[in-house]
Amino acid sequence: MKAAEQVIGDVMEQVRKRNPNEPEFHQAVLEVLESLEPVIERHPEFVETGILERIVEPERQLIFRVPWIDDNGRVQVNRGFRVQFNSAIGPYKGGLRFHPSVNLGIIKFLGFEQTLKNSLTGLPIGGGKGGSDFDPKGKSDFEVMRFCQSFMTELYRYVGADVDVPAGDIGVGAREVGYLYGQYKRLTTLYHGVFTGKGLSYGGSLGRTQATGYGLLYFLEEMLKDYDQSLKGKTAVISGSGNVAIYAAEKAQQLGALVVAMSDSNGYIYDPDGIKLDTIKQIKEVERKRIKVYREHHPSAQYHEGSKGIWTVKCDLALPCATQNEIDEESARILVANGVTAVGEGANMPSTPEAIKVFQNNKILFTPAKASNAGGVATSALEMTQNSMRLAWTFEEVDAKLKDIMVRIYRQTSKVAKEYGFEGDLVKGANIAGFLKVADAMMAQGIV
Ligand code: NDP
């Protein structure tokens, strides 16, 4: 039989050949495969049954035209995607991203990550992801509505409460989810939990809005405890000012950290006295304006053009919560030189492989997104449970379950890392732990 290293090399070569021009997808797969060598050595049956070849190939990929009419009466056409990656442990589950940078490779990287992340939550959800190259920025509410209705007019055939359950992601928040859900209901006459991140008046869960950001901090707190540290008194820099960033900042502040910088895709603000989150929420959630407006409210703060500069701000904790590959090797080196002690990933794959190496070589505590941002999807699964039961839990109930799940994910990830000889390496721990459950379910279900 081929050595594990050879098996992995062959699978990776096939992924590159079969999916050309999809660098983010290659990056996500490579990181996981590289972690799996000792797993393959222990489990030759995974090789015999082609688990690796199958797990890197989505079960189904949908690409569709999304025509809509703008406020000037002109026809616009976007491209829609839904990648149903893996349903071994439950119905496909994963968000929709609306951003001009969206293409099939981005959706596949996110769907692949999602499969392992969902497995880590311990809940019965498979992996999927979708979206469009539509840019909600600068569009009127009616334009966004017409786009969402057109998008769902195609997607509704492929989703359902026990089939595939989308949610939000970049560019898809409460407004978009509402329009998408409304159109789904109109087309199917079904009132069921086909979406998560819904508004509270129509089946949403308390705590879902906060879940990814809060979950990241619960995970981080648990990790810091293992190193006799806490968040109290630490200075934090958080990139982004969307859903994940805002609630990561809120929980970080509640746990005693001082958040001094946040960003959007244009630039970042630095407020050494601590970011005033009420202002950020007003600017971003209500007015949908750029982050530089913050200075109009707090003139002592600084605004700098360019989002990458945020990593030059001195801090103890760096929490990337904006987008993929936002911390490169150069930024990682600057963070280390400035004394960062922990990096917690809130966004999906925000650190490049080179950046992760810099953190690991310098013994910086590092939480990989797959594990540390799983709180959002875990709470989505709790929303699905409530919808099925026709019940609504209180915020405190949901938050307690979220905390419990994040603590469990940290414990499991660090235990598995140790078991496989990578003590303290949560990247490997998360990849292996997430993979094992999916592989086990795939084995049990035969070659499908
Ligand atoms: P939002 O759309 O709410 O916010 C995204 C934020 O990131 C905005 O501040 C945006 O700035 C900024 N951003 C987006 N693209 C870029 C870019 N190319 N360069 C710099 N900044 C950028 O999205 P979310 O907060 O929901 O998602 C953020 C990250 O977290 C994504 O990686 C997502 O996949 C991940 N995630 C989200 C979950 C959730 O529950 N929402 C769950 C798990 C992961 P601007 O407004 O200028 O575009």
Side-chain angles (χ1 to χ4, degrees):
M1 219 179 75
K2 284 193 279 186
E5 196 185 344
Q6 177 76 42
V7 172
I8 285 167
D10 290 350
V11 174
M12 197 57 224
E13 198 186 319
Q14 178 70 9
V15 167
R16 288 204 183 92
K17 249 197 220 154
R18 190 176 267 165
N19 310 277
N21 308 317
E22 295 180 359
E24 292 86 0
F25 181 51
H26 302 170
Q27 182 184 334
V29 171
L30 182 64
E31 186 208 277
V32 171
L33 291 183
E34 279 179 345
S35 303
L36 296 181
E37 218 177 289
V39 181
I40 298 302
E41 276 160 11
R42 273 192 213 180
H43 295 276
E45 70 277 16
F46 290 164
V47 180
E48 285 149 23
T49 53
I51 293 284
L52 293 187
E53 288 86 344
R54 287 191 280 144
I55 208 169
V56 297
E57 183 66 21
E59 290 176 15
R60 199 168 296 105
Q61 307 180 49
L62 307 159
I63 303 181
F64 47 95
R65 180 170 68 201
V66 190
W68 56 282
I69 296 174
D70 69 19
D71 285 347
N72 298 316
R74 274 196 299 263
V75 175
Q76 303 283 345
V77 178
N78 285 96
R79 185 170 281 181
F81 301 90
R82 185 72 184 165
V83 172
Q84 298 180 328
F85 219 104
N86 194 302
S87 62
I89 63 173
Y92 309 107
K93 179 90 199 84
L96 296 174
R97 175 177 291 191
F98 292 169
H99 193 271
S101 64
V102 163
N103 57 41
L104 184 60
I106 299 264
I107 299 299
K108 273 159 69 181
F109 117 65
L110 290 164
F112 180 71
E113 290 273 300
Q114 194 81 49
T115 300
L116 302 185
K117 177 188 314 193
N118 292 2
S119 161
L120 283 174
T121 65
L123 300 167
I125 38 178
K129 199 82 188 188
S132 173
D133 55 3
F134 173 76
D135 188 357
K137 235 179 271 159
K139 305 287 191 301
S140 70
D141 285 353
F142 279 131
E143 287 179 320
V144 171
M145 184 178 78
R146 287 195 292 274
F147 172 81
C148 289
Q149 290 178 340
S150 180
F151 184 89
M152 191 43 96
T153 300
E154 183 61 29
L155 188 68
Y156 87 97
R157 303 166 217 280
Y158 310 105
V159 296
D162 293 313
V163 180
D164 183 352
V165 185
D169 190 79
I170 291 178
V172 179
R175 174 182 60 170
E176 290 76 13
V177 169
Y179 295 152
L180 289 160
Y181 185 71
Q183 184 72 354
Y184 175 84
K185 195 163 55 66
R186 187 177 180 204
L187 291 166
T188 61
T189 69
L190 290 170
Y191 203 109
H192 64 179
V194 69
F195 242 93
T196 59
K198 298 186 292 296
L200 295 177
S201 55
Y202 62 96
S205 173
L206 284 162
R208 175 60 187 91
T209 305
Q210 295 84 351
T212 309
Y214 278 24
L216 168 65
L217 270 295
Y218 292 147
F219 188 98
L220 200 58
E221 194 190 25
E222 193 61 21
M223 178 180 70
L224 290 177
K225 263 193 221 158
D226 261 0
Y227 295 85
D228 292 326
Q229 295 183 38
S230 80
L231 286 148
K232 251 204 179 72
K234 293 223 166 32
T235 302
V237 162
I238 301 182
S239 65
S241 46
N243 173 264
V244 180
I246 287 177
Y247 293 95
E250 186 166 282
K251 187 50 77 178
Q253 289 179 345
Q254 286 172 12
L255 294 172
L258 182 73
V259 180
V260 294
M262 291 183 79
S263 61
D264 61 20
S265 54
N266 294 109
Y268 70 95
I269 47 160
Y270 172 59
D271 190 339
D273 303 327
I275 299 273
K276 316 298 177 288
L277 259 191
D278 286 348
T279 311
I280 296 282
K281 285 185 185 176
Q282 178 65 24
I283 295 170
K284 287 292 174 183
E285 295 182 336
V286 183
E287 297 168 10
R288 296 180 187 275
K289 287 188 177 158
R290 309 313 299 158
I291 205 163
K292 69 174 163 206
V293 172
Y294 184 89
R295 272 206 75 227
E296 290 170 15
H297 300 266
H298 306 286
S300 64
Q302 299 169 18
Y303 173 74
H304 299 271
E305 278 294 324
S307 51
K308 199 181 156 189
I310 194 168
W311 307 121
T312 62
V313 175
K314 190 173 163 48
C315 61
D316 305 306
L317 304 173
L319 307 181
C321 294
T323 194
Q324 65 273 2
N325 291 330
E326 54 172 311
I327 303 188
D328 59 11
E329 183 175 358
E330 186 195 6
S331 296
R333 287 193 190 287
I334 295 171
L335 281 165
V336 171
N338 281 338
V340 76
T341 54
V343 177
E345 292 193 326
N348 282 313
M349 207 169 76
S351 317
T352 64
E354 297 76 23
I356 296 175
K357 279 208 181 81
V358 171
F359 295 138
Q360 291 181 330
N361 290 342
N362 286 281
K363 305 261 175 293
I364 307 301
L365 301 177
F366 181 79
T367 80
K370 225 176 255 116
S372 55
N373 75 14
V377 75
T379 307
S380 277
L382 301 179
E383 182 175 331
M384 289 162 74
T385 306
Q386 293 169 80
N387 291 163
S388 302
M389 298 193 307
R390 305 274 190 265
L391 277 179
W393 293 328
T394 63
F395 178 86
E396 288 70 25
E397 281 174 290
V398 176
D399 192 42
K401 288 185 204 300
L402 167 67
K403 189 165 183 184
D404 190 54
I405 290 169
M406 296 316 294
V407 168
R408 230 174 332 112
I409 297 176
Y410 171 70
R411 292 272 146 236
Q412 187 202 6
T413 308
S414 82
K415 180 173 138 243
V416 169
K418 194 171 169 188
E419 255 171 48
Y420 278 84
F422 302 113
E423 189 165 1
D425 184 343
L426 299 185
V427 175
K428 291 220 164 41
N431 287 337
I432 296 173
F435 170 80
L436 281 172
K437 183 176 172 194
V438 178
D440 191 55
M442 287 173 75
M443 288 286 299
Q445 293 170 25
I447 311 292
V448 289

